[in-house]
Amino acid sequence: MGRRGIMSDQLKEEIAKELGFYDTVQKEGWGGIKARDAGNMVKRAIEIAEQNMQRRP
């Protein structure tokens, strides 16, 4: 049993593409990204989650 992350792989990939480091992920895996990129990815995921919560009635 693997520990399930909060973000789906699909969401992580979409954010990586949006932020411009998906090519690094493809070459080196998630461990290959810079700490700053990882931080930006988390920030972006939080923004998306907040937007989704605001849309709910």
XYZ file of all heavy atoms in Angstrom:
453
model
N 0.827 -1.205 0.000
C 0.000 0.000 0.000
C 0.862 1.255 0.000
O 1.610 1.468 0.925
C -0.847 0.032 1.277
C -2.127 -0.724 1.190
S -3.113 -0.293 2.626
C -3.968 -1.818 2.816
N 0.735 2.073 -1.042
C 1.486 3.320 -1.090
C 0.721 4.437 -0.393
O -0.498 4.397 -0.307
N 1.448 5.385 0.105
C 0.799 6.545 0.718
C 0.220 7.400 -0.397
O 0.908 7.734 -1.340
C 1.833 7.344 1.509
C 1.182 8.283 2.493
C 2.252 8.960 3.336
N 1.963 10.370 3.293
C 2.677 11.289 2.663
N 3.771 10.960 2.039
N 2.335 12.546 2.666
N -1.040 7.718 -0.304
C -1.719 8.470 -1.357
C -1.516 9.959 -1.132
O -1.809 10.470 -0.065
C -3.216 8.138 -1.317
C -3.997 8.808 -2.415
C -4.222 7.855 -3.584
N -4.973 8.557 -4.611
C -4.469 8.879 -5.786
N -3.268 8.550 -6.097
N -5.203 9.514 -6.664
N -1.003 10.645 -2.151
C -0.812 12.085 -2.042
C -2.143 12.809 -2.181
O -3.124 12.242 -2.639
N -2.151 14.049 -1.772
C -3.363 14.859 -1.875
C -3.626 15.207 -3.333
O -4.756 15.201 -3.789
C -3.224 16.147 -1.028
C -3.141 15.768 0.459
C -4.403 17.083 -1.249
C -2.733 16.896 1.363
N -2.563 15.482 -4.082
C -2.716 15.846 -5.487
C -2.682 14.593 -6.350
O -1.831 13.731 -6.151
C -1.571 16.757 -5.929
C -1.674 18.151 -5.412
S -0.526 19.255 -6.285
C 0.958 19.010 -5.339
N -3.586 14.514 -7.312
C -3.547 13.406 -8.260
C -2.358 13.589 -9.193
O -1.861 14.709 -9.385
C -4.840 13.368 -9.077
O -4.886 14.467 -9.960
N -1.895 12.499 -9.781
C -0.790 12.581 -10.737
C -1.171 13.480 -11.908
O -0.346 14.237 -12.402
C -0.420 11.184 -11.252
C 0.273 10.358 -10.185
O 0.822 10.946 -9.226
O 0.279 9.129 -10.310
N -2.430 13.388 -12.329
C -2.889 14.208 -13.455
C -2.776 15.693 -13.118
O -2.285 16.482 -13.931
C -4.340 13.848 -13.789
C -4.861 14.582 -15.010
C -6.315 14.279 -15.293
O -6.951 13.497 -14.598
N -6.860 14.909 -16.313
N -3.201 16.063 -11.914
C -3.127 17.462 -11.502
C -1.671 17.918 -11.426
O -1.315 18.992 -11.907
C -3.813 17.662 -10.142
C -3.762 19.086 -9.581
C -4.467 20.074 -10.503
C -4.354 19.133 -8.191
N -0.814 17.088 -10.847
C 0.606 17.443 -10.742
C 1.206 17.659 -12.134
O 1.952 18.607 -12.344
C 1.387 16.344 -10.011
C 1.111 16.324 -8.523
C 2.127 15.519 -7.755
C 2.002 14.045 -7.973
N 2.798 13.253 -7.032
N 0.867 16.778 -13.070
C 1.391 16.908 -14.428
C 0.887 18.179 -15.093
O 1.652 18.883 -15.757
C 1.029 15.677 -15.255
C 1.819 14.455 -14.830
C 1.356 13.165 -15.493
O 0.547 13.224 -16.448
O 1.807 12.093 -15.047
N -0.397 18.494 -14.908
C -0.952 19.711 -15.500
C -0.247 20.949 -14.958
O 0.085 21.863 -15.708
C -2.453 19.817 -15.195
C -3.309 18.913 -16.046
C -4.781 18.968 -15.655
O -5.239 20.012 -15.150
O -5.463 17.948 -15.854
N -0.006 20.970 -13.646
C 0.655 22.127 -13.028
C 2.105 22.216 -13.506
O 2.598 23.299 -13.806
C 0.566 22.059 -11.494
C -0.900 22.197 -11.047
C 1.418 23.169 -10.856
C -1.132 21.927 -9.574
N 2.789 21.077 -13.586
C 4.177 21.071 -14.060
C 4.256 21.620 -15.489
O 5.168 22.385 -15.816
C 4.758 19.659 -13.990
N 3.282 21.247 -16.329
C 3.255 21.772 -17.701
C 3.027 23.278 -17.685
O 3.708 24.026 -18.386
C 2.153 21.084 -18.516
C 2.495 19.652 -18.881
C 1.313 18.945 -19.529
C 1.619 17.464 -19.715
N 0.423 16.705 -20.108
N 2.075 23.716 -16.856
C 1.739 25.136 -16.755
C 2.946 25.947 -16.278
O 3.196 27.052 -16.770
C 0.578 25.283 -15.764
C 0.002 26.664 -15.659
C -1.138 26.739 -14.654
O -1.995 25.832 -14.637
O -1.162 27.700 -13.879
N 3.705 25.412 -15.330
C 4.833 26.137 -14.747
C 6.142 25.918 -15.510
O 7.152 26.525 -15.190
C 5.007 25.749 -13.271
C 3.818 26.077 -12.356
C 4.099 25.620 -10.937
C 3.486 27.564 -12.369
N 6.121 25.025 -16.496
C 7.244 24.910 -17.404
C 8.364 23.962 -17.004
O 9.460 24.050 -17.537
N 8.105 23.030 -16.081
C 9.176 22.081 -15.753
C 8.765 20.622 -15.956
O 9.417 19.711 -15.458
C 9.712 22.293 -14.323
C 8.665 22.246 -13.231
C 8.266 21.038 -12.692
C 8.111 23.410 -12.734
C 7.312 20.980 -11.694
C 7.156 23.370 -11.723
C 6.756 22.137 -11.208
N 7.720 20.405 -16.752
C 7.274 19.031 -16.996
C 8.321 18.212 -17.738
O 8.453 17.015 -17.510
C 5.941 19.034 -17.758
C 5.356 17.649 -17.915
C 4.929 16.941 -16.795
C 5.239 17.043 -19.157
C 4.397 15.673 -16.926
C 4.708 15.777 -19.294
C 4.284 15.093 -18.176
O 3.769 13.828 -18.290
N 9.107 18.878 -18.598
C 10.171 18.157 -19.312
C 11.182 17.555 -18.334
O 11.664 16.440 -18.528
C 10.862 19.055 -20.337
C 11.431 20.333 -19.729
O 10.921 20.782 -18.676
O 12.386 20.890 -20.306
N 11.476 18.277 -17.249
C 12.382 17.756 -16.210
C 11.762 16.540 -15.533
O 12.451 15.546 -15.277
C 12.678 18.848 -15.158
O 13.222 19.987 -15.813
C 13.661 18.357 -14.108
N 10.469 16.623 -15.251
C 9.769 15.490 -14.614
C 9.865 14.257 -15.514
O 10.136 13.160 -15.036
C 8.288 15.842 -14.334
C 7.525 14.628 -13.829
C 8.197 16.982 -13.322
N 9.664 14.459 -16.824
C 9.724 13.331 -17.754
C 11.116 12.717 -17.802
O 11.255 11.506 -17.881
C 9.293 13.765 -19.155
C 7.803 13.994 -19.262
C 7.382 14.340 -20.668
O 7.919 15.248 -21.294
N 6.407 13.624 -21.177
N 12.150 13.558 -17.751
C 13.531 13.067 -17.834
C 14.021 12.459 -16.529
O 14.675 11.427 -16.524
C 14.478 14.208 -18.221
C 14.395 14.616 -19.662
C 15.413 15.711 -19.948
C 14.899 16.639 -21.035
N 15.391 17.991 -20.927
N 13.728 13.139 -15.410
C 14.360 12.786 -14.139
C 13.387 12.317 -13.057
O 13.810 11.937 -11.972
C 15.142 14.001 -13.602
C 16.196 14.499 -14.572
C 16.846 15.782 -14.081
O 17.066 15.897 -12.867
O 17.133 16.654 -14.919
N 12.095 12.416 -13.342
C 11.109 12.083 -12.317
C 10.890 13.267 -11.386
O 11.558 14.292 -11.500
N 9.950 13.111 -10.461
C 9.588 14.211 -9.566
C 10.753 14.625 -8.676
O 10.847 15.771 -8.258
C 8.371 13.846 -8.727
C 7.130 13.778 -9.566
C 6.477 12.656 -9.973
C 6.415 14.873 -10.149
N 5.406 12.996 -10.777
C 5.341 14.343 -10.888
C 6.576 16.262 -10.112
C 4.442 15.137 -11.589
C 5.672 17.056 -10.805
C 4.627 16.494 -11.536
N 11.669 13.713 -8.388
C 12.833 14.039 -7.573
C 13.803 14.977 -8.258
O 14.661 15.566 -7.602
N 13.672 15.142 -9.569
C 14.586 15.977 -10.327
C 14.230 17.451 -10.352
O 15.022 18.261 -10.811
N 13.036 17.798 -9.861
C 12.645 19.213 -9.916
C 13.277 19.989 -8.768
O 13.600 19.433 -7.728
C 11.109 19.395 -9.944
C 10.456 18.955 -8.634
C 10.497 18.693 -11.145
C 8.974 19.290 -8.540
N 13.435 21.283 -8.996
C 14.023 22.154 -7.973
C 13.028 22.354 -6.827
O 11.814 22.309 -7.031
C 14.342 23.528 -8.566
C 15.379 23.512 -9.648
C 15.669 24.948 -10.104
C 16.477 24.980 -11.376
N 15.636 25.082 -12.586
N 13.568 22.617 -5.650
C 12.712 22.889 -4.483
C 11.777 24.055 -4.767
O 10.603 24.028 -4.390
C 13.569 23.173 -3.255
N 12.283 25.068 -5.476
C 11.450 26.230 -5.798
C 10.279 25.820 -6.687
O 9.150 26.292 -6.497
C 12.293 27.309 -6.471
C 11.539 28.630 -6.614
C 12.397 29.687 -7.279
N 12.515 29.370 -8.698
C 13.588 29.581 -9.435
N 14.655 30.124 -8.917
N 13.606 29.257 -10.711
N 10.547 24.944 -7.670
C 9.471 24.476 -8.545
C 8.440 23.678 -7.756
O 7.238 23.825 -7.969
C 10.036 23.625 -9.689
C 10.804 24.470 -10.714
O 10.537 25.689 -10.816
O 11.658 23.898 -11.403
N 8.914 22.849 -6.840
C 7.995 22.068 -6.002
C 7.128 23.009 -5.172
O 5.911 22.815 -5.052
C 8.769 21.112 -5.113
N 7.732 24.037 -4.616
C 6.990 25.019 -3.827
C 5.955 25.747 -4.663
O 4.816 25.949 -4.226
N 6.354 26.135 -5.874
C 5.414 26.811 -6.770
C 4.267 25.895 -7.161
O 3.127 26.337 -7.310
C 6.136 27.311 -8.032
C 7.026 28.509 -7.746
O 6.827 29.221 -6.764
N 8.007 28.725 -8.588
N 4.571 24.604 -7.316
C 3.538 23.631 -7.667
C 2.503 23.531 -6.541
O 1.298 23.512 -6.786
C 4.177 22.267 -7.937
C 3.211 21.274 -8.524
S 4.037 19.801 -9.157
C 4.404 18.981 -7.628
N 2.982 23.494 -5.308
C 2.075 23.433 -4.155
C 1.227 24.698 -4.081
O 0.009 24.626 -3.893
C 2.875 23.207 -2.849
C 1.970 23.345 -1.626
C 3.531 21.832 -2.869
N 1.869 25.866 -4.263
C 1.117 27.130 -4.244
C 0.018 27.130 -5.289
O -1.106 27.560 -5.028
C 2.055 28.310 -4.519
C 2.776 28.835 -3.306
C 3.493 30.129 -3.674
C 4.889 30.109 -3.088
N 5.822 30.994 -3.747
N 0.365 26.670 -6.492
C -0.611 26.645 -7.589
C -1.752 25.682 -7.270
O -2.920 25.987 -7.532
C 0.098 26.245 -8.891
C -0.800 26.261 -10.095
C -1.239 27.681 -10.455
N -2.202 27.635 -11.538
C -3.481 28.047 -11.433
N -3.921 28.593 -10.324
N -4.297 27.932 -12.453
N -1.428 24.530 -6.687
C -2.462 23.556 -6.320
C -3.414 24.148 -5.285
O -4.629 23.936 -5.347
C -1.817 22.281 -5.782
N -2.866 24.922 -4.341
C -3.707 25.570 -3.331
C -4.627 26.586 -3.997
O -5.815 26.655 -3.685
C -2.833 26.220 -2.237
C -2.143 25.117 -1.413
C -3.663 27.129 -1.327
C -1.040 25.611 -0.501
N -4.079 27.370 -4.934
C -4.907 28.343 -5.664
C -6.057 27.646 -6.380
O -7.200 28.113 -6.343
C -4.070 29.097 -6.697
C -3.117 30.109 -6.108
C -2.154 30.677 -7.157
O -2.298 30.365 -8.362
O -1.250 31.426 -6.755
N -5.755 26.536 -7.052
C -6.782 25.782 -7.772
C -7.845 25.273 -6.799
O -9.045 25.392 -7.050
C -6.148 24.626 -8.572
C -5.304 25.181 -9.737
C -7.232 23.672 -9.109
C -4.406 24.153 -10.401
N -7.409 24.735 -5.672
C -8.348 24.212 -4.671
C -9.243 25.330 -4.135
O -10.454 25.149 -3.977
C -7.584 23.547 -3.526
N -8.649 26.503 -3.883
C -9.440 27.640 -3.381
C -10.462 28.097 -4.420
O -11.602 28.388 -4.077
C -8.516 28.794 -3.000
C -7.764 28.529 -1.710
C -6.717 29.601 -1.383
O -6.392 30.421 -2.281
O -6.233 29.597 -0.251
N -10.057 28.131 -5.685
C -10.989 28.519 -6.755
C -12.141 27.522 -6.835
O -13.295 27.900 -6.993
C -10.270 28.598 -8.104
C -9.355 29.795 -8.210
C -8.404 29.701 -9.401
O -8.462 28.761 -10.180
N -7.524 30.675 -9.536
N -11.817 26.236 -6.719
C -12.852 25.202 -6.787
C -13.812 25.315 -5.609
O -15.005 25.106 -5.771
C -12.217 23.805 -6.824
C -11.536 23.521 -8.148
O -11.794 24.177 -9.147
N -10.643 22.546 -8.150
N -13.305 25.652 -4.441
C -14.181 25.798 -3.270
C -15.100 27.008 -3.417
O -16.248 26.964 -3.007
C -13.360 25.930 -1.987
C -12.740 24.617 -1.560
S -12.102 24.588 0.120
C -11.025 25.994 0.184
N -14.617 28.087 -4.041
C -15.429 29.276 -4.226
C -16.558 29.049 -5.222
O -17.602 29.683 -5.146
C -14.559 30.449 -4.703
C -13.669 30.987 -3.611
C -12.639 31.970 -4.138
O -12.600 32.270 -5.328
N -11.794 32.477 -3.259
N -16.356 28.120 -6.148
C -17.385 27.856 -7.167
C -18.555 27.049 -6.609
O -19.631 27.074 -7.170
C -16.773 27.064 -8.327
C -16.034 27.958 -9.259
C -15.729 27.232 -10.556
N -14.525 27.811 -11.121
C -13.419 27.139 -11.374
N -13.349 25.847 -11.160
N -12.365 27.738 -11.874
N -18.315 26.333 -5.526
C -19.398 25.510 -4.967
C -20.475 26.381 -4.350
O -20.163 27.388 -3.740
C -18.836 24.556 -3.907
C -17.951 23.508 -4.523
C -17.593 22.437 -3.529
N -16.642 21.518 -4.148
C -15.607 20.997 -3.532
N -15.378 21.259 -2.273
N -14.796 20.187 -4.162
N -21.737 25.982 -4.491
C -22.845 26.795 -3.920
C -22.828 26.825 -2.404
O -22.336 25.949 -1.765
C -24.104 26.094 -4.425
C -23.704 24.776 -4.958
C -22.213 24.814 -5.199
